Amino acid sequence: MLTLTVDLADRSYPIYIGNGLLDDELLAKHVHGRQVMIVSNETVAPLYLQRLVNQLADFSVDTLILPDGEKYKDLDHLNLIFDALLEKRHNRTTTLIALGGGVVGDMTGFAAASYQRGVNFIQVPTTLLSQVDSSVGGKTGVNHAKGKNMIGAFHQPVAVLADTGVLASLPERELSAGLAEVIKYGLIYDQEFFNWLEQNMDRLRAQNTEALTHAIYRACQIKAEVVAQDERESGIRALLNLGHTFGHAIETAQGYGTWLHGEAVGAGMLMAADLSARCGWLSSEDVERVRSLIVAAGLPVAAPADMTPDEFKQLMSVDKKVLDGRIRLVLMRAIGDALVTEAFDSKLLNETLGAGPRLGQL
Amino acid sequence: MLTLTVDLADRSYPIYIGNGLLDDELLAKHVHGRQVMIVSNETVAPLYLQRLVNQLADFSVDTLILPDGEKYKDLDHLNLIFDALLEKRHNRTTTLIALGGGVVGDMTGFAAASYQRGVNFIQVPTTLLSQVDSSVGGKTGVNHAKGKNMIGAFHQPVAVLADTGVLASLPERELSAGLAEVIKYGLIYDQEFFNWLEQNMDRLRAQNTEALTHAIYRACQIKAEVVAQDERESGIRALLNLGHTFGHAIETAQGYGTWLHGEAVGAGMLMAADLSARCGWLSSEDVERVRSLIVAAGLPVAAPADMTPDEFKQLMSVDKKVLDGRIRLVLMRAIGDALVTEAFDSKLLNETLGAGPRLGQL
């Protein structure tokens, strides 16, 4: 097991990473009151809920099972958590535990941020994506019919338990989607980690515990370093959006859920690499390394064949990262060295967008 | 005009107090983006909304009028604020302005805390109660069917404009209810302010601007001092609940809205004084001074005649301030010197509860 401390002064917390943490007494150590509410979903609860409950014999434990899916991440389903907490008379010393992927984590975290103006919560992420991404940074919230993640709070967990063992039940496609975010951390921040990923991608996909533990640790560490420098997302934190502006356009164009988020980010990162090369920053050899690693992770590298540059641009310009109508993108000066910039020739962007559907081809 | 700075490090903000602030350019100075959403209610908007809009000619201003009343302080009506913000495409740099009493302030503040995980908001409280109470402390939120103020956040405004002129449209009964909270600050913290209130209660009820400005200033100053010492409400801040545990029992027993909150707090403060005297802490002369000032403010001093000690105790024990079943109360060692304690003889509490309905009699 590895332990990473996210350093945020009086809101610092540990992330534990390893195999079998669901059955570890670590969980109970981070519950400070007598009451616990575990929130999970219909897919995850049958697999793992009882193991968590077994670790909490000394506490008064209630559970709430939500339907599984991003479409339930709304105020109505958030209110089900409040209903359960009030029904069971949970007080300000209660601890909420999120057992599930990003949706369960975001909703439970926001419920914890808001219930009686803030109670403790623990994250037990069960997808690779949520282990490396939504467990760090304190972003919580729900969607609104008119926009994703529009209602929420910054609220840090008191602990995160990332059990690599639970990934065995994850569909292979979702493991790959999580790997897209892992690759991202190498690309924006750490060439050495990128090199390590090139050498270990097969072990990761085969769910070697040691490799997974290291990858999750380093990804969380990079995100934690970036977030600690910029908790409220005004500057450097924007680097975490590498590939996301292209990716969101793909997700929106294809309808949410057709492409997994990580898959769209995978294709988006290669588009960012392509544009970085057209700007003269990244060598064609490096673009090829990016392409190869994304392929090795089991991810798509070509944008959908039917997407035109105009469609891309229209969808990209409604992204939150757009200020005053100018598209800002995360691009790369080198592998491991990213920047946020508007300083690229729009003609080059057009070329990348036009090439997007063919980027998978050598 | 007086200006008070609430000192909370990087979340410090000014409270401006005086006559005519609705027509002052101060408001615009605290709007930092281009977009503004003013939230008000059906009672207040016809009186004052246009005057605020007139001050914001340089901005893109949208308005939202909610129905008036505590019963609309829920997630559904909160969502109307999110609907309006998204409909009008407000971004992270928007400023929300709450124009109204405590309900509008609490809901708008929580919307500002949650919209895109936090945007700026300005309070323009239009009742005496909200000017002295809910404008300071950062508490925002909505009610849940199973409990008041159960969902919310701590979120500080960027500025508060307390215009004494708007109190002219306030029903006299609501002015008195606000004065109950003003008296409370003297009782818990400042004997000299209590003395001043004894001498100036008639001027306050006649809405003398100078007297109102001073009273609001000093009440906010005391609350700000208490909150600054204890922003997350773990210790000294509990003193602000003087009279509230008794008062909540009265409000609940009579049905919310039958007694105004401030009226119940008025009777509750006298019960706290009575119990403090029975404990041997407060002199009977001081109890009489408390009684006289509450009467002078136009407030009831006797609990409802039909409330029995058993009913009181049952309702008081569900109060949030109760830990492990023991009733904790704010009592007084002297006028201007309060404490939170469980160290009182339950027989004496019974006597106070039994005497409650007769406390108005000399």
Side-chain angles (χ1 to χ4, degrees), chain A residues 225-244:
Chain A
E225 279 176 28
V226 170
V227 167
Q229 292 172 54
D230 184 18
E231 200 182 343
R232 294 272 163 174
E233 198 171 34
S234 42
I236 180 179
R237 190 162 173 167
L239 296 184
L240 300 175
N241 292 317
L242 174 68
H244 283 60

Side-chain angles (χ1 to χ4, degrees), chain A residues 75 79 82-83 86-87 92 113-117 139-140 144 146 149-154 233 320, chain B residues 75 79 82-83 86-87 92 113-117 139-140 144 146 149-154 233 320:
Chain A
L75 277 181
N79 204 25
F82 298 133
D83 285 343
L86 285 160
E87 182 73 43
R92 293 181 194 178
S114 309
Y115 186 63
Q116 301 208 19
R117 300 197 188 88
K139 285 190 180 182
T140 70
H144 184 281
K146 296 196 179 75
N149 293 318
M150 281 295 162
I151 307 166
F154 286 96
E233 198 171 34
K320 269 189 287 193
Chain B
L75 277 181
N79 204 24
F82 297 132
D83 286 342
L86 285 160
E87 182 72 41
R92 293 180 195 180
S114 309
Y115 186 63
Q116 301 207 19
R117 300 198 188 88
K139 285 189 181 181
T140 70
H144 184 281
K146 295 195 180 74
N149 292 319
M150 282 295 161
I151 307 165
F154 287 95
E233 197 170 35
K320 267 188 290 193

Side-chain angles (χ1 to χ4, degrees), chain A residues 5-13 156 228 231:
Chain A
T5 300
V6 180
D7 187 9
L8 293 166
D10 62 331
R11 282 165 293 109
S12 297
Y13 63 91
Q156 306 295 340
E231 200 182 343

Side-chain angles (χ1 to χ4, degrees), chain A residues 7-23:
Chain A
D7 187 9
L8 293 166
D10 62 331
R11 282 165 293 109
S12 297
Y13 63 91
I15 303 176
Y16 305 104
I17 307 153
N19 194 2
L21 298 186
L22 288 188
D23 307 310

Side-chain angles (χ1 to χ4, degrees), chain B residues 29-340:
Chain B
K29 280 189 187 164
H30 289 278
V31 178
H32 297 305
R34 288 184 311 109
Q35 298 174 303
V36 172
M37 173 71 72
I38 306 176
V39 180
S40 190
N41 70 33
E42 291 170 342
T43 307
V44 173
L47 299 171
Y48 304 120
L49 179 57
Q50 190 56 48
R51 286 166 62 188
L52 282 196
V53 172
N54 291 347
Q55 290 302 318
L56 299 167
D58 294 340
F59 303 93
S60 167
V61 179
D62 295 300
T63 61
L64 176 68
I65 316 294
L66 298 172
D68 183 10
E70 175 93 18
K71 67 177 167 177
Y72 303 109
K73 188 176 138 179
D74 58 21
L75 277 181
D76 286 343
H77 288 82
L78 179 74
N79 204 24
L80 294 180
I81 306 179
F82 297 132
D83 286 342
L85 288 166
L86 285 160
E87 182 72 41
K88 301 291 186 178
R89 295 174 166 270
H90 284 244
N91 62 35
R92 293 180 195 180
T93 66
T94 189
T95 299
L96 273 60
I97 299 177
L99 173 68
V103 170
V104 166
D106 285 359
M107 292 183 69
T108 307
F110 187 40
S114 309
Y115 186 63
Q116 301 207 19
R117 300 198 188 88
V119 300
N120 283 348
F121 87 115
I122 297 171
Q123 296 256 32
V124 185
T126 59
T127 65
L128 181 57
L129 178 61
S130 57
Q131 288 178 348
V132 299
D133 189 47
S134 48
S135 300
V136 187
K139 285 189 181 181
T140 70
V142 297
N143 299 328
H144 184 281
K146 295 195 180 74
K148 285 184 60 148
N149 292 319
M150 282 295 161
I151 307 165
F154 287 95
H155 190 61
Q156 307 295 340
V158 295
V160 177
L161 273 71
D163 185 339
T164 57
V166 303
L167 303 181
S169 62
L170 197 67
E172 197 173 344
R173 202 180 148 193
E174 289 200 36
L175 189 75
S176 292
L179 289 169
E181 298 282 349
V182 175
I183 292 170
K184 182 190 77 178
Y185 292 110
L187 282 175
I188 63 170
Y189 205 79
D190 185 354
Q191 180 163 22
E192 207 168 302
F193 183 48
F194 186 88
N195 299 344
W196 182 90
L197 287 170
E198 289 181 319
Q199 289 147 24
N200 290 277
M201 190 50 78
D202 291 348
R203 289 170 75 212
L204 289 170
R205 293 189 68 190
Q207 303 218 10
N208 172 283
T209 294
E210 191 193 6
L212 281 172
T213 301
H214 176 74
I216 296 165
Y217 180 88
R218 185 61 190 139
C220 288
Q221 190 173 44
I222 292 172
K223 182 161 187 185
E225 281 177 26
V226 170
V227 168
Q229 292 173 53
D230 184 20
E231 199 182 342
R232 292 273 164 172
E233 197 170 35
S234 44
I236 181 178
R237 190 161 173 168
L239 296 183
L240 300 174
N241 293 316
L242 175 69
H244 282 61
T245 304
F246 295 108
H248 280 157
I250 294 173
E251 283 181 273
T252 308
Q254 304 299 303
Y256 277 100
T258 310
W259 283 52
L260 294 179
H261 175 70
E263 293 172 335
V265 168
M269 289 192 295
L270 187 55
M271 294 178 80
D274 180 81
L275 179 53
S276 303
R278 289 179 200 271
C279 291
W281 298 333
L282 211 59
S283 69
S284 58
E285 290 76 17
D286 280 347
V287 177
E288 173 51 26
R289 285 179 69 191
V290 174
R291 197 196 65 82
S292 296
L293 187 57
I294 294 170
V295 169
L299 291 160
V301 280
D306 58 354
M307 283 187 71
T308 63
D310 281 350
E311 186 178 12
F312 259 113
K313 273 189 288 190
Q314 196 199 324
L315 293 169
M316 289 165 76
S317 65
V318 299
D319 192 276
K320 267 188 290 193
K321 266 79 71 184
V322 175
L323 291 177
D324 303 325
R326 291 173 302 180
I327 295 178
R328 302 173 78 213
L329 290 171
V330 185
L331 298 178
M332 285 164 274
R333 281 181 288 248
I335 287 173
D337 181 15
L339 74 164
V340 181

Side-chain angles (χ1 to χ4, degrees), chain A residues 41 65 103 126 138 146 155 164 200 207 220 228 233 241 249 256 271 289 299 311 348:
Chain A
N41 70 34
I65 315 295
V103 170
T126 59
K146 296 196 179 75
H155 190 59
T164 56
N200 290 276
Q207 304 219 9
C220 288
E233 198 171 34
N241 292 317
Y256 277 101
M271 293 178 80
R289 285 179 68 191
L299 292 160
E311 186 178 15
L348 298 179

